[in-house]
Amino acid sequence: MIVPDTSFIRIETGSVSMLRSIIFDMDGVLVDSMPSHADAWIAVSREIGAEVSREDIYEIEGANHILGIQWLFEKAGKEVQPHLYEEIKSKKVEFFSANASIAPFDGMLECLRDLKKHFSLAVVTGSDRYTVKGIMDDFFPDVFDTIVCGEDVHYGKPFPEPYLKAVELLGRAKDECMVVENAPMGVESAKRAGLFCVGIPTYVPPSKLRAADLVLHDHPALYAYLNKLIPMNS
């Protein structure tokens, strides 16, 4: 279901009838960072003779660095030997750290602070912990109860392991959790984990997120939707 503009739908299905936790992807949901990730991947790819596009990178958003390297360069027709993965990852992280321009989406912190009064909050991201810690410290200190990073799982997005780990760390049942995602691989990961998923098409067309239970138009629509989830008698 794709909901345009600032429309929202209350969660009334049995899948999240007793909502207690909300799990967010980071890049593209909490912070506007994927253009900087794309710049880093493009720069590193050119060093090894591969040409990749921003669209290619947005398609693999959410995967941890190792899976991202495998899929990205396979699509570019460039064979990369496994022993080079860590070197490529380090160069990408170094370039990103030195050149990234990152900012939280307008209104996100205020929205999260309101939600935190009623729900436990988590982040599930394919980014490395060093990068994630910097973003959390700078923009969202003491907001999230649980954070799952790329190196915390063996099989990252689109596999279900990242979201299953978050549910376990939160100590919740699946039907007490919902996910907010902006990437096809992230939506697939959430749905394979058996979770209700709301999609927001930050960098890809809404049709790319059709596997989500609900697709909202933009961040203002997301804030309106999440605000309606806050218990009426609180």
Side-chain angles (χ1 to χ4, degrees), residues 130-188:
Y130 173 81
T131 299
V132 175
K133 185 180 186 304
I135 290 173
M136 294 298 112
D137 289 348
D138 286 346
F139 303 126
F140 308 109
D142 303 317
V143 169
F144 293 99
D145 302 283
T146 296
I147 298 176
V148 177
C149 302
E151 60 263 51
D152 295 331
V153 296
H154 185 68
Y155 294 104
K157 303 173 187 180
F159 297 97
E161 185 181 352
Y163 282 109
L164 291 175
K165 186 174 184 68
V167 171
E168 177 185 0
L169 292 173
L170 286 166
R172 304 299 195 198
K174 291 182 182 180
D175 63 0
E176 296 175 323
C177 303
M178 66 170 279
V179 171
V180 181
E181 263 286 356
N182 78 301
M185 285 189 177
V187 171
E188 182 178 349

Side-chain angles (χ1 to χ4, degrees), residues 69-120:
I69 289 168
Q70 292 171 341
W71 287 323
L72 188 61
F73 293 118
E74 179 180 341
K75 187 170 183 179
K78 179 71 175 181
E79 184 177 354
V80 178
Q81 297 300 317
H83 72 274
L84 295 176
Y85 289 170
E86 285 298 327
E87 179 182 348
I88 293 171
K89 170 189 169 182
S90 296
K91 287 183 177 180
K92 186 267 177 179
V93 172
E94 181 180 350
F95 186 97
F96 179 84
S97 299
N99 298 281
S101 176
I102 301 173
F105 287 101
D106 288 344
M108 179 55 71
L109 180 58
E110 293 78 8
C111 177
L112 293 172
R113 284 175 172 166
D114 287 341
L115 293 172
K116 189 171 177 63
K117 300 172 186 177
H118 310 278
F119 307 105
S120 56

